[in-house]
Amino acid sequence: MSSPDGSIPRLGYGAANLGNLFRPLTDDEAWAVLDAAWDAGIRHFDTAPHYGLGLSERRLGAFLATKPRDEYFLSTKVGRLLRPNPDHEAGGLDTANDFHVPDDLQRVWDFSADGIRSSLDESRERLGIERIDLLYLHDPERHDLDLALAEALPALEKLRADDEIALIGVGSMVTDALTAVVRTAALDLIMVAGRYTLLEQPAAAEVLPACREKGTGIVAASVFNSGLLAQTEPRRDGRYEYGQLPEELWDRLVRISAICAAHDVPLPAAALQFPLQADEVRSVVVGGSRPAQLVQNVEYAAVSIPASLWQTLAAEGLIP
């Protein structure tokens, strides 16, 4: 399941759900999800301090501690430090950020060299794993993109130069930010979240060409568009981003679904494999809070898809 260049597995597990995203998981349930992912052959794991205020990193690290270090690829993120929350009250939860965990900590933005270094060290401690393969700057545009370009990216480049980290990158849902960071720094990979999917491809205009020009690889995340593409039969009341699905995207989704059905290809299989049709995309990362979802995603990744499906979608103007 390695990528074409062999450096990163083609299918990864995005571990936001391990941080109790949208619903709480017990430690045993989280372990069962990771067990299912591992048994199905997934060897690429992505996490972040943001996910459950460190809970995702702790749970993932505890699981991976039982596996040989050379058998998996691990990424986490920097930019948000976790610090005591002075406003925490007993029973308070981080549900404002969609995580069902106590809000005894708060996220503090820090793009300085010292902040980036501290974030890496603290992630290593939570994970209990010294070697992190890939370090992303997380959502830079949500804080200060100019500061990210001026301070955070050079700090990442220095960590790589000092052999602290093998690969560096940026993760974002905003195409302008992704284009800017690719053009500014010598990044190995970027995580494009929800902007290069079977349903919509805004990253195709500038992000992919910039990556092609600079030799930067792409990890595609949120490829199911908040779950819209995760079911064989799409639902009109499905969540899009954080609200209702716009009418024009629903019409587009219906057309895509019909073409997939005509080619006898499950919609989620096409959604999972679509980004990998682009040479710049090295890997696809998918989430999941139940073992069956992980097993299903590995099966979708292995579905044989005829070239005629992509040709038809392109001829209809639905993909580039």
Side-chain angles (χ1 to χ4, degrees):
M1 236 183 260
S2 289
S3 72
D5 63 4
S7 61
I8 180 169
R10 281 172 70 85
L11 183 63
Y13 174 61
N17 291 105
L18 300 187
N20 291 356
L21 178 67
F22 302 133
R23 71 182 189 95
L25 296 180
T26 66
D27 288 344
D28 286 346
E29 287 171 329
W31 192 281
V33 168
L34 289 167
D35 246 345
W38 188 273
D39 289 347
I42 291 176
R43 295 294 183 271
H44 170 190
F45 299 90
D46 175 72
T47 184
H50 173 59
Y51 303 155
L53 294 168
L55 180 61
S56 172
E57 287 186 320
R58 290 194 300 273
R59 283 174 162 171
L60 180 60
F63 176 81
L64 292 177
T66 68
K67 307 300 180 187
R69 182 61 191 89
D70 289 341
E71 288 189 15
Y72 61 85
F73 183 98
L74 174 62
S75 59
T76 191
K77 306 182 183 77
V78 294
R80 295 173 174 95
L81 295 171
L82 303 182
R83 296 294 178 259
N85 179 7
D87 299 323
H88 171 65
E89 296 178 4
L93 296 175
D94 187 43
T95 49
N97 293 289
D98 296 321
F99 293 100
H100 290 254
V101 296
D103 64 353
D104 53 332
L105 298 174
Q106 63 178 352
R107 301 162 182 84
V108 177
W109 291 105
D110 192 334
F111 285 0
S112 70
D114 286 346
I116 298 297
R117 176 74 216 210
S118 293
S119 186
L120 171 60
D121 289 342
E122 290 164 22
S123 284
R124 283 171 166 160
E125 193 170 327
R126 281 188 294 269
L127 286 158
I129 297 169
E130 183 68 16
R131 190 178 111 213
I132 295 166
D133 298 296
L134 167 60
L135 197 61
Y136 294 106
L137 181 66
H138 202 182
D139 300 329
E141 74 289 338
R142 294 192 186 185
H143 176 47
D144 187 329
L145 183 58
D146 290 337
L147 191 62
L149 300 176
E151 295 192 21
L153 296 187
L156 282 177
E157 289 177 315
K158 185 172 190 316
L159 286 172
R160 182 179 58 193
D162 292 344
D163 292 327
E164 289 281 350
I165 287 292
L167 303 169
I168 60 168
V170 172
S172 173
M173 298 178 67
V174 178
T175 53
D176 288 350
L178 288 164
T179 304
V181 297
V182 169
R183 290 186 172 151
T184 299
L187 302 176
D188 300 293
L189 292 154
I190 57 168
M191 179 173 279
V192 178
R195 295 296 170 262
Y196 191 68
T197 74
L198 185 63
L199 182 60
E200 51 180 348
Q201 307 90 33
E206 292 190 353
V207 179
L208 267 69
C211 286
R212 196 175 309 129
E213 185 183 323
K214 295 290 292 280
T216 302
I218 292 173
V219 175
S222 302
V223 297
F224 293 137
N225 280 99
S226 307
L228 285 171
L229 302 170
Q231 299 169 351
T232 305
E233 293 291 332
R235 288 172 43 190
R236 182 65 188 89
D237 61 352
R239 183 178 62 214
Y240 172 73
E241 302 294 347
Y242 299 101
Q244 289 297 108
L245 178 65
E247 194 63 40
E248 65 273 13
L249 275 184
W250 169 247
D251 293 342
R252 190 179 179 91
L253 180 56
V254 169
R255 291 171 64 200
I256 291 169
S257 178
I259 291 169
C260 287
H263 285 79
D264 201 26
V265 172
L267 177 64
L272 199 153
Q273 294 190 39
F274 163 73
L276 293 165
Q277 306 310 302
D279 292 340
E280 297 77 22
V281 177
R282 309 279 194 265
S283 182
V284 168
V285 165
V286 291
S289 61
R290 294 176 176 85
Q293 292 171 326
L294 276 293
V295 175
Q296 182 73 82
N297 286 335
V298 171
E299 291 173 355
Y300 285 142
V303 168
S304 178
I305 296 182
S308 58
L309 171 67
W310 310 123
Q311 291 161 0
T312 304
L313 288 167
E316 293 287 323
L318 294 166
I319 63 173

